[in-house]
Every structure is written in structure tokens, then in C-alpha cells.
Amino acid sequence: LNSPPALVGTIMELIITLLHQHGAEVVVSSAIMAGQNSSFYRRQNNSSSVQGVNMESKQWLSIQQAMGDTQNFIDLINNLKWEEGLSSDAVNLIESKLATSRVAEERSSPSVQAGSSQPELITARMAKHAAECVSVLFSFAVAIVIYTKSLKPFTIAAEKIKRLKQELANLEASLTMSSQLSEYKLAPALGGVAEEVEVSEEDVLRLQHQLQEAKKRFDRAVVDKHGLDQSYQAIADKLRSSNHLLESLKPRQEAWLKKLNSLPSQSLLVDCVLASAVSVYCGPLSTNARHKVFASLKSVCSSMVVDSHPDQINLLSLSDLPNFILGEASVHHLNGAERLPQDLSTQISASLIVHPYVPEWPLIVDKLGLATYWLKALEGATVFSKYKSPDVLDSLWKCMAEGVSLVVSEVETADLPTQKLWMDVLCCKDQLHRAQGPLKINIGEKRIECSPQFRLFLTTADAVNTVPAEVASLTNLVVFRPEREGLEGLLLDQALKLHNAKSFEERQQLKKVAHTQALKLVSVEEDMLRLLAGKNWEDQKTAKNLLQLNKAYEDAQESMHQALAAGQTNDHHLANLHAMANRASVIMEVVLAMGALHPVYWTSFSYIQYVFLTFVEQAGTRMQVDETVQKMIHFIYMHFMRGYLEKDRFVFSLLLALEIETSRGQAKREERDFLLSPAPGRQFAVKGVVSESGGGAGGGSYLSFGKKPFDWMTDAQWQMLLTLASNFDWIQEILDRITKDSKEAFWRSVGETVAPELINISEGIGYKLFPLQQLLILKAMRPERATQCIMAFISSVLDPKANKLAYDTPIDFGRLTKSFRPGLACLLVYGEDPSLLLTRLKQLASKAQRTLAVFTVHGTGTEELSAMAEYMETAQRQGSWLLLHNIHTSPPLLARLVTMLEHPDKGGEWRLWLSSHADHTLPTALLHKVIKVSTDSPKSLKALMLHSISSAAAVAFNISSRPEYLPLLHNICMLHALLRLRRDMYAHAWTENYIWTHANLMDALSYVAQEFRVSEQAGPGLTGLGGARPASWTGIRFMISEVFYGATVTSTVDSVLLSSMVDYWIHPGGPRREHGHYYIPALFFTPNSRLAPLLQAIEGVAPPLVLTADLCGFHYTSVIKLGWMDCLVSHMPTLCAILEQHKSQATTPSRSFSVVQSTRLTASSLSTGSTAVTLQLSRQSLPSNAQPEKRAASVANTVQGVELSLSAVPKAVLRSLGADPLLHLELLLLQSVDKLIESIPTGWKKNVVLERLKKHGLESPFALFIHEECDKMTRCLQGIHTSLQDLQNVLSPTCLGDAISERPYLVDLALSILTLAVPKYWLEQVGTSAPPGDWPLKDWVRDLVKRYSFMDRVLTGGLARSPTFWLGGFFNPQAFLNVVQQSIIKPCCSLSGPAEQVMFVADLTARDKDHIRDPPAEGELFIHGVYLWGAGFEKTATLELRDVLPKPPVPVPLPLLHLTIIAKPEVSAGQQPEAKGPYHYQCPVYVSNRGHSDPLFTLNVSSNEVGPGKWAMRNLACTLRPF
């Protein structure tokens, strides 16, 4: 090559230089040696890359000359002596050209970069791309460099060894020469003396003397040497011992240094302050609240550490708090106590309870009854007594005098302030703490000598918020509530003790060994530190003691580790029990949380443990883990479910299913919250559904799915799926591929099938989805089947193999008596129908062949208690059953029952039954000692049907063999169920709250049975001619609608509805098989069928028998509640929050400030309170002269969280918020207040109103009415304006002090405006005519302004000149109609005329209010603003109302109505409904749906296809207001 690439030349220059410096015979030119001056480097300095640059010919020629021929060059390379490595110059030269990390760092240093640009370094990839042969040479050079670097340490070591050997040889030679020289010098001297010197006697004596002196010196030297040897040996031994001691103490030293570094001197005092704050404030808090408060306290305490970087602050953690308060030894002593749950929350509670320096006695809030058992195991000499025990005071005096601990349980905190003696006892703790010996204390009217060692522990089952303030201020209030981990450990221990006593003893022994060794570790470490801190720590004895202590420490540590390892090994063999204990702890937490719904639900830990151990005893050890756990879940679920009222069983079932799924890792908190209360997307804005297109203020991410994928899919279904996708990632890919996977048929079946809950979505779409995720998809697509889908979800979790749910099935009392162990009492809780309780219990006693005695308690006094005692003695003696009915009426009886059940009589066959009304509160101690069973009327359709048919068997079965008889009984039971449950679907299904009990059903069934019995006696056929009267369908319908159920119906509307439902289910032509989507089981059409198959047929109905809108006769709309959905909305969030309170790792929603576009959903389809932005504000007090930005924080004084929706905030304000919106809250609030003041009118002045009314007549009825209406509106508007102006003045910079906290209503006003909610103060001002508080603020204000404008127009135009009227705009529309009625009737009749014999009737028109310019004829009105509920409205030429599903929004606005007044028609008793169309129905018109009264007037509805009965079942009604 004449001009190879520059990189080839550079590499060849390196190789030639390498050969030259290593002694090879090569001719190297000056240009090559210069290297940096070559043209390659010059070009490289002027170019960013060597690619494409060729070497100059002259330079390449000098390289070729140095190489010689090829063979010679190869021989030079092969003969290179690389074994000894390269010289440093050669290595440096080569490394300077290589792209190593060190060279790259040097090139990137500022000093190098400041100069001229450097040449590009060579890499292996560059050499390979240049030429293959050059790449080999380059690799060879790099390998030699690497070898040289690796050889360098060995070379240095070899040179050092060689140098040492040379020094050793020189030393040996020097010693040899010195020895020879000494001999040489000594020999001539001795020889000379013998030959030349004459020795005299004196010389001999002198020499002898010198010799003796030399010997003495030698002896002394030997002694000294020996002494030095001994000292040396002692010092060496001491050194070895010290080194051994230091080596053995190294682990302790590292641990001590770590502990010391974690407690710097500047934060130690702050840790003490933090621990003190936790001791004072965190005792009454739940687990989650403790973590939050501790984090806040820690944040505040961090600011106290001065002269320290925030990253270097290492304050106390919550897990270290028990050790910091009590010390490690005391904590190990606590953990070693039996029945103490091993979790952090319990350890903190226990440390706060036994903390010796707290100046108050501990008051332990123990709902589970665990603290007493733990204190018994912890305290040695302890006396236990109850607050209401007669000997409690004697125990108190004795313990105080002897210095013994006293535990008083079941304290009634509400009673403590009334007991001066106990209040004095609570005040004496501080005196005892400071006393050095026994002292006299005034307790009540006594002066008691008290020992300083006296300790008092109080336990109560009362809630924290119910403890009186005076009691809480004198006690150390501590909540003793273990976490799930601690409950699981307790259950596991007891299960192991029952299952395998030997393994339990081994496990307990291992725990005991571990705790003993842990205590020993603490004790030995304290002794070691004490010796090291002493003055004689350098003594040999001290070192020996330290070695012995260290050996003891290591032995104890090894023993503890071995015990723990053995315990873990044993635990691996207990997988079955571990799994059961884990699931049982989950169920336990749900059962404990249910106590918040009703006081009667409170359950003790011991009872839950008893149920769990009962299953463990029955299960054995042969089942698989999954099978055992699933059966245990069902067993415990069934046991506790029967104790809940019917309305709460569904809540318990769903909550338990969600918690179990969460514990399995198959459900997240966000998914659970979305199921209970779906909200618009917080993370994403869905393109195509958002209110605005484009970027938005936050610049957030957008999900683009386009329009709905299938034509058959409704907009509401697609919108809910997009809302689901805006909250969760797992569905986004599913929606993205919804049209790509050819799954349209499957999705259509989900959207249109009758029972979508039976579809497995995960299999259908090919994605692995958890049950809760499938439920969310089903609920989004089929909201009308939400109840059924939730039921299927519950069943799949709690009992996958069962085809029915426990809460949907009547309680088996026969099975209950089998689990009713002697010594327990059964509490029967009833609701509205106590007769049902007595009926069931009597049937149960009869089946069990037992005598049942019923003692009804009236609370009359001691005589009643004596009579009750006699009944109880008789039952015990005879072995019979005794029912104490209505025990809630006698508090003395409740106290006696608590005492009696403490030591029950476990012998004999007698059973004690108790009954109480659900609305009364019973003592918690009693609730902990009884089996609770709810005997309330069933609330689910299937359970009510099963119970009703079972009851029908007793009075109406085997009466008739006609094929229509059993279907008729079925329909009567169904009618009874729907009449009771109709209100659960729709709050306004009945205008009055009718209570139809089991007795009404039994009366109807008895009558039908009697009718058919007479018919059977008369002959064949219902209309047969015989001696007896045949049964009549008309008579049956009449008796049911007018007597058995209609006797209590007072409303005409309800009477029509009842008759319509009776006609629908008791058809004149005989029972029908099909009723909408429900079909009567075919077995009912088989005469003389037995009860058991009929009940199985009801349970096996497909789809499952669930209360639906179709069965009740409704159209499904957003106002129809799906069975139990109202309970979910009201109860589930509260219960979930309670469960989160006792989780230390509970996650909280993010409070970061972010702007997200929300979906455009209607307020009726989503819950209120959904947020786009969340702010976290803290309570703080700022001076009046603070900056406005800082004073803005005081707007939310005493409020922890503020939710701010930015949907109505101007974009300019959003841009002004910046990164920290807290600094601009005042600006935002002031702008909102100013805008509200401008938009809301102030009302009318009195003179203006009077001036306008003059032309209508000041004394006319209309003038009086409109004057009253204007006064009310003016008062409302002025009250609202005053509140806004007060808030505006408070927020002004000239306002001094924190004036907003002095007026609490301003705080609510400010927060409501920030959250775009309606202030409570405004709702109170407007009254019942105001829209609901869940309306958006802007809509609420718009409605108020609209009503003002309407009144102003009526005030000006009057009654005669106003073309249309908006009756909903008046505060009292009934008064307006009375005025109109009076103005029409008065001119036509005398003063004593029958004015009440007329009525208003409205007709639909095809016009809107904007089309009317002139008022109607005299005596008529045009009204607008009326809304239709229960059906849709489509404007047609004939104005016929069709039975169509209402489209959003609900209710449906109607066009203009023409209101006239007519005489009331006379209704005859025998009037029959219209046989064929057109049908007419008088639709009632109410003021609102908030609570029906008598209708204002009726709307004449005509239809060619739908009869009045169908409209009545649809609950067709109109309201003047859309709420």
C-alpha cells in the first residue's frame, strides 16, 4: 500500500517503537520516535475522528524501512523476550494510545480539556475495522501490556526476596569475620603473657579479685537477663492476651460503634423529646394513626437538631421505641410473657402500659379482652378484680397497703367521674412515683397508707372516643389492639397446642430458650461495658473476665440462634396450621371491624379463637392445605354470619371476600375503592372522553382508544371501560386489542347475555385476570347486574364449590343447637318482627323434643328477677330450654347475666336462650360470652322466598291437588317478598313506611288454603257447583290487596300500586310460568310436590334468584339501588378505613400536587368527592403581619386534607399556582369569593317589593303569597352574601389575628369553596327547597340565581300576566296552587261552597316555555320545569307515553304542562279498569323525591299499550324539582 489508513500507520508505529525499546534490531526514524509530530496526529488534532484519514506516503515509507521484509519483521516479533515484561516507558507509550478508563479520565479532566484538543484514543473495535492483521498486532501489544501489569507485583516480590537473601548472606559473613578477628586478637595476648610477663603473687590476687568481680557481674547479668526474659514473656503473654481480647471483641466493638453512631450527641436529647411525645399522644391511637403521628412528630423534631445536615440526622424509629423506653432487657421480658401478640403495635402498647415514669395509671382500651390474660402472665403477684365486683374496694385497700399490682377489668368509663373514690385513686400516681417510702393518701373519706410499689391497671371495652375527658386527662389511655401478625401468632400457638401438644411444648421451650438467651445477652453485654468503663480495665484479671464474658456472650448468642433456627425448622412442618392461622386472622379482623356497624356485633378474641379451634379439632390432618383453608374459611364465615342482621350480611360477605383476596395478593386497595366508589381517572386522561382536548395544565399522559369499538356497545358501557382504564394499567392492553383479537362475539355475550356473572372473562379474552378484576369489568359493562356479579365474586372466594351463598340462605337452627356447647348462652337478636323469633324457637324445641319455657322480661324490678331465678332453676333441674325474652328492658338482669356467665353450669342438657331488640345496646362483657344469632326477617329475595315457602308448608301444603295451587302459593310468597323488598330497590317505592310482617303472609296463606279446601270439598273446578262456596280468584286478590296487606295502606297512590302488584302476581286466569326474566320452577306445577324438592328448585333457579329492578317492575336507572348497594356506599368505606387503621404498612393515597384531566361523567353515575388535585395542609398559627402566601395556610386551620378539583379553575389561575399551590391558596380563594359575590344577587328591597305589589293589590292572596316568597328569598341571599363578605374580610391583608378559627362556619365555607362543594351554612339558609348538598357548587348557585330571576319576573308580571310558571322555583308551591284555586273558585261560589271538591289536573303539550308569549285563559296555567321519574319520554305527535328505558339524565324533563282545575270524579266501588286502550293513568306530581306527601296535582298520561297497573309498578311519578 502506498498510503494506508492513518490508524494502520499509528498501530505500526506503536509496534515498531515497542520492538525498539525492547532491544530488537530495528531502524527507527526520528519521525517515528517523535510520534506526536506525525501527520496522523496533526490530522487527528484537527479532526473529530480518524475514520477516513490516510497516512502520508513519506511517513509510511519510514515505517516500511524500519520493518524491513515481512519475514524479518515476523522473526523480530517471535523473538521478542516478553517473559520479563515491557519497560515502563514502553507501557506508558502504548497506554497513552489506548482507550483505557484511566486515560479517558485524564483526558476528561478540566486541566486537559482547557488545552488543545487531544487525539482520539484507539479501541479494539477501531483496530479491527482498520485491518485484520493490524487488529492482531494491536491485540498482541495490548496482551503484552496486560501481562506486564500482571507480572509487576511478582517481579517486585522476587526482587525483594533476592535483596533479603543478599542482606542475610552479608550478615552471616560479617558475623564470621567478627568471630575470627576476636580469636586472632586473643591468642597473641595470652601467648605473650606466658612468654614475656612475669606474674607476681600480687598480680595473682588482683586477677583473682577481678575474676570474682567479673563472675559477680556475670551472675547479676544472668539474673537481669532472666528477669528481662520473664518480663518479656509476661509482656508477650499480655500482648497475646490483649490481641486475643481485642480480636474477640471486634464484633462487639462494631455493634457498639454502630449503636453509638446511630445516637449522636446532638440528637439524643431530641430522641428523648420524641419518645416523650409518643408516650403522651400515641397511646389512644390506632396502629396506622400511630405511624402517621410518629412521622409528623419526627419531622417536627428533626428541625430541632441544629448544626447538622438533614441527611446526617438519624432520629429514633418507631421500631426502636420500646427498647428506648424500657431497655432491651425489659422488652425481652415483655416478649417472653405468654399470650402477648408478637407485633410492633402490641409491643409499643405494652411498653406504654408498663412504662414506670408515666405520671398516670394506665387505662387500657381492650375490645378483645387480651390485655388481662397478658397481665396475668407478666405480673407475678397480681390481684385481679372487676369494676362492678363487690370486693373490688377491699382488693384495692389491700394491694395499696402491701404494694401489690391490681388489675381492674370491665371498667365503665362513663361511671368513673361520678365515683370520687376512684377519681382520687387516679390522682395519686404522681405522689407514689416521687415517694421514697410508704405514705398516707386521702382516698375518698379514708386516709390510706400506700406503698410506692403499688401498681394499678385499668381495662375497659369502651371506645376511645367515649372515654370522658376528665378520665382521659387523669389516665394513660392506651389502645391494646394487635395487628394481624400478632393475632396470627396467637391462633397458631393455640392450634398447635390442640393439634400436637408435644410440638407445642417443644416450640414453647425453644421460644423460652431464645428469650432466656436474649436476656442473658443483654446482661452479659452490660457487664462487659461496666468492666470496660472501669478504672482497672488494663488488669490481667479484668482482661480474663472480659474474655470469659465474651465467651459467655458468644455461647448465649449461638444458643439463641440455634433455638431460633430450630423453631423455624419446626415451623416449616406446620404449613397447614400456618395457612389456617393466617386466614383466620384475616377473618378475625373483619369480624372485629363489623363491630363498628352495630354494638351487638362486638366479639371477644377468646370466642373467635374458640370457633377457630373447633374447626381445627374437627378437620384433623389428612386434608390438603388449600382444601383445609377453604373449608375453614367457610366454617368460620358461616358461624359469624348468622350473628349479623340481614341488612349487614351482604356487607360482611363482600368485605371478607375483598380482605381474603387482598391477603392473597390478588386485590389492591385502589381496585377495592373503585368497586365501592368509582371516580374519574387520576393518572391518565382518556382522549375522546375528556372535557377538553389537548395538553391540559399538568401535561399529563393521555390514553387514546378512539370511539367505541362495536356498534352494539352503548356509550355508557364504553365510557365506564375507559374510566376503568384511566385508573388501572392491567385493562389498558385489553382495550387496546379489543378489536384485534376477534373477540367481538365474546364481548357481546358479556354485554347482552341474561346472566353475565356466569361468564369467565379471563378465559374468554385470554388474559390472566384475578376475580376482582373480572368483577370490575363486569360491573363496568353491566351495572344493572352488579348485585349478581358481586354475589358470584363472593361465592368464588368464600366457597367456590358451593352453588349458593350463606347470607342468601335461612339459618339452620338445627345445626346451631349441635354447636351450642353447655355453659354458653345464645342471644337471639330480632328486628321488626319478634313473633318470628318465637315461632322459630318453638319449632326448633319441638323438633329437638325439648320443653321451651318463655319468660318475658319487662324490667319491673326485684320481683321479676326472683321469678326469673325460679324459672332458671326449674329449667336446670328438668333439663329444658329457657328463653329470657326482651332482656334489654332490664339493666339489673343484664348485670346478673354477666356475672352468671362468668362461671356457667356446664352440666346437664338445659339451654339458656336470650332475646333482645337490635336497636338496644347490651354490655360488651355480655356480648363476649354469648353466641349471637340474628332472627331478623330475611332481606335477600332468595332467603325470604325459602323462608316463606317453608312457612307455607305448615299451614297450606297438602290442601289441594290442583295444578294451579302450588304456583299460587309460590306467587303469594313472591308477592310478599317484593312488597317488603321493593323499598330496598327504590327509596320512594312507597309513599309511607309500611311494615308487612310474617303474620301478613301467614294470614294470606291460611285464607288461600281455606278457600281451596272448600273448593276441594265442593267438587272439581274453581267454579264448580256444589254445596260449598267455590274459591274465587277475585276474592283472593281482594282479600290480599284490601285486607291482609291493604288494611294499613292510607295513600291512594300506594293503594293503586298494591292492587297492580296483586293483579300481576295473582292473575285472574291462573298463575303464569313467566314473569319478565323470571320463570317459576317447573316442579311447582306438579301437584303434591314435597317441600324439600321445592326448596331445592328455588335454590337452583338459573340465573340465581336475586332482587332486580325487573322483578320489582322498575326500569333500571341510576336512581335504582341494586339491592345492597346502599349498604356498600354507606358502610363499606367505613369498615375498610377501620381495617386500614390496624395495619402498620397501610398505604395512603398520594398527596402530590398534579393536574389531571378528568372524564366527562354525570354526577349521578359517579360518587361525589372525586378529586383531580389533593393538597395536604397542616395546622399552624401565623402572625397577622405574615406574608399573604404564608397566611394562606391558615385557611385550612384544623383540617388535615383538602381536596381541590380544578375542573372549574381558570387556566390563568392554574398557571399562577406553580410548583407549590399552598402558597397561592389565598389568591385562589379570594378570586372564587369575589366571583361568587358578583354572581349572586342580594335580593329586593322592601320598598321595591311593595311598589310592585301595589298594582296587584296589597291585600290580595297572590300579593301576600309572593311577598312571603320574596322575603324568604331575600333572607337567603343576604345570608349567603354576608357569609361571603365575612370570609372576604378575614382573608384581607388588613385583618389581624387568626379570625377564621373564631367562626367555625367560615372554615367550612372556605373549604367548601375550595372543593367546589355547597357550604352547609348555605343549605341551612335556603332550607328544604334547596338542591342536595352533593350538587356541584356552580350548579347549585345557578339554580338559586334562576329561582331569583323567576320570582322577579312573577313579581313584575303578577298572576294574570305571567305566561308560564315554574312551580319548583317557589319555596311553597302548594300555597301558590291554593291561591290559584281560591282565585278561580271564589267568584263562582259562595263563601260556604265546597272548595275541596275540585282538583288540579295537568295535560302534556307539545310546546316549550320559550314558545309561550301570552298567558292562558282564565282559570288555567302553563307550568314548566316538571320532571318525570320511572320511564323515558319521547315527544310524539299524539303525546303518548311509551314504556321505554329512561335515558340520562334522570329524571327526564317534560315539555310544557297545561294545568286546569276540575271537579273531583266520584269513584265507585265496582268500577273496573279499562279493558283495552287507550289507557289513562293519573300520574302523581310531587314537590320533590325527598319524602312523598300528598301529590300537588296529577298528570293525565295516556297510552295505547301500557295500562295503569304497569305505570303504577314502574312508580311513574313527576316532581317539580330534579331531586
Side-chain angles (χ1 to χ4, degrees), residues 697-820:
S701 302
Y702 280 81
L703 300 175
S704 178
F705 295 111
K707 299 180 179 179
K708 62 180 183 180
F710 310 118
D711 294 336
W712 53 264
M713 183 179 288
T714 64
D715 294 336
Q717 289 176 338
W718 182 238
Q719 189 179 53
M720 288 306 298
L721 287 175
L722 291 182
T723 305
L724 190 62
S726 68
N727 284 270
F728 306 107
D729 298 337
W730 48 266
I731 195 177
Q732 295 171 12
E733 185 178 356
I734 297 176
L735 295 186
D736 187 47
R737 300 183 59 84
I738 192 171
T739 58
K740 304 174 184 178
D741 294 338
S742 302
K743 300 289 185 180
E744 181 178 359
F746 171 78
W747 285 106
R748 186 162 189 171
S749 65
V750 174
E752 297 180 352
T753 188
V754 177
E757 63 274 7
L758 303 178
I759 299 176
N760 190 326
I761 295 183
S762 184
E763 294 180 0
I765 62 177
Y767 285 86
K768 183 179 179 181
L769 297 175
F770 294 126
L772 182 56
Q773 295 173 346
Q774 298 186 51
L775 173 60
L776 292 177
I777 295 178
L778 287 174
K779 186 171 179 289
M781 291 197 65
R782 299 295 298 276
E784 77 280 3
R785 300 287 296 182
T787 301
Q788 292 86 342
C789 294
I790 293 176
M791 290 174 59
F793 166 75
I794 295 173
S795 180
S796 66
V797 175
L798 299 184
D799 196 0
K801 297 182 180 180
N803 58 357
K804 59 182 179 180
L805 290 174
Y807 69 83
D808 215 18
T809 306
I811 297 174
D812 187 355
F813 277 83
R815 181 176 298 178
L816 171 63
T817 55
K818 294 180 181 179
S819 62
F820 193 177

Side-chain angles (χ1 to χ4, degrees), residues 140 347 418 422 686 719 795 804 1043 1223 1260 1339 1416:
F140 173 72
Q347 287 185 355
T418 63
W422 281 107
V686 183
Q719 189 179 53
S795 180
K804 59 182 179 180
V1043 179
L1223 301 179
S1260 65
D1339 295 339

Side-chain angles (χ1 to χ4, degrees), residues 74 104 141 153 194 276 290 447 455 496 520 566 989 1049 1169 1195 1247:
I74 294 174
S276 302
R290 286 178 181 175
R447 187 169 180 82
R455 298 293 303 276
L496 182 60
K520 186 176 180 181
V1049 176
V1195 172
N1247 57 346

Side-chain angles (χ1 to χ4, degrees), residues 69 77 383 388 404 583 748 817 892 994 1002 1031 1135 1172 1286 1293 1491:
D69 56 353
I77 293 176
V383 178
K388 288 297 185 180
V404 179
R583 289 293 181 269
R748 186 162 189 171
T817 55
Y994 304 110
M1002 299 306 294
L1135 296 176
D1286 291 344

Side-chain angles (χ1 to χ4, degrees), residues 1108-1355:
T1108 61
D1110 180 66
L1111 272 175
C1112 292
F1114 301 124
H1115 278 303
Y1116 173 75
T1117 62
S1118 58
V1119 299
I1120 299 297
K1121 292 181 289 188
L1122 300 175
W1124 304 94
M1125 294 305 290
D1126 57 339
C1127 296
L1128 299 185
V1129 174
S1130 59
H1131 298 334
M1132 286 294 290
T1134 302
L1135 296 176
C1136 293
I1138 292 174
L1139 289 174
E1140 294 295 333
Q1141 287 179 0
H1142 303 290
K1143 296 179 182 178
S1144 59
Q1145 303 297 329
T1147 57
T1148 54
S1150 174
R1151 295 291 181 183
S1152 59
F1153 183 78
S1154 58
V1155 181
V1156 183
Q1157 199 84 15
S1158 62
T1159 56
R1160 186 169 53 201
L1161 300 177
T1162 61
S1164 59
S1165 62
L1166 299 177
S1167 65
T1168 60
S1170 58
T1171 62
V1173 176
T1174 308
L1175 305 177
Q1176 182 73 24
L1177 302 181
S1178 60
R1179 181 188 180 101
Q1180 54 183 316
S1181 179
L1182 297 176
S1184 59
N1185 56 355
Q1187 297 179 1
E1189 305 85 61
K1190 296 182 179 179
R1191 291 184 65 253
S1194 64
V1195 172
N1197 195 16
T1198 73
V1199 177
Q1200 294 298 324
V1202 177
E1203 298 176 349
L1204 172 63
S1205 174
L1206 297 181
S1207 59
V1209 179
K1211 300 298 182 182
V1213 177
L1214 286 178
R1215 288 192 294 269
S1216 68
L1217 290 178
D1220 189 2
L1222 191 60
L1223 301 179
H1224 300 276
L1225 268 180
E1226 186 178 11
L1227 172 63
L1228 179 62
L1229 186 57
L1230 282 172
Q1231 289 184 353
S1232 301
V1233 170
D1234 293 341
K1235 187 174 181 180
L1236 286 171
I1237 292 177
E1238 295 176 0
S1239 59
I1240 298 177
T1242 57
W1244 302 273
K1245 295 182 180 180
K1246 291 185 177 181
N1247 57 346
V1248 174
V1249 175
L1250 294 176
E1251 184 66 27
R1252 294 187 185 182
L1253 289 178
K1254 286 182 180 179
K1255 52 186 176 181
H1256 308 305
L1258 292 177
E1259 299 299 328
S1260 65
F1262 173 76
L1264 296 176
F1265 163 77
I1266 199 64
H1267 186 264
E1268 180 67 21
E1269 290 285 322
C1270 290
D1271 282 347
K1272 290 181 179 179
M1273 178 60 71
T1274 301
R1275 288 195 299 268
C1276 294
L1277 295 175
Q1278 289 179 353
I1280 293 174
H1281 260 276
T1282 302
S1283 63
L1284 289 173
Q1285 290 172 356
D1286 291 344
L1287 182 59
Q1288 188 182 47
N1289 296 334
V1290 166
L1291 296 176
S1292 64
T1294 59
C1295 182
L1296 302 178
D1298 191 10
I1300 191 172
S1301 62
E1302 299 175 359
R1303 284 175 281 186
Y1305 83 97
L1306 290 182
V1307 177
D1308 174 74
L1309 179 62
L1311 296 181
S1312 299
I1313 293 175
L1314 284 173
T1315 57
L1316 302 183
V1318 182
K1320 295 179 181 179
Y1321 180 75
W1322 293 6
L1323 291 172
E1324 295 173 358
Q1325 290 291 314
V1326 181
T1328 58
S1329 64
D1334 57 357
W1335 274 33
L1337 180 60
K1338 59 181 180 180
D1339 295 339
W1340 195 92
V1341 173
R1342 186 182 297 115
D1343 179 82
L1344 184 64
V1345 174
K1346 183 180 177 182
R1347 291 178 62 184
Y1348 169 79
S1349 302
F1350 164 71
M1351 288 186 185
D1352 187 72
R1353 181 167 57 85
V1354 173
L1355 182 63

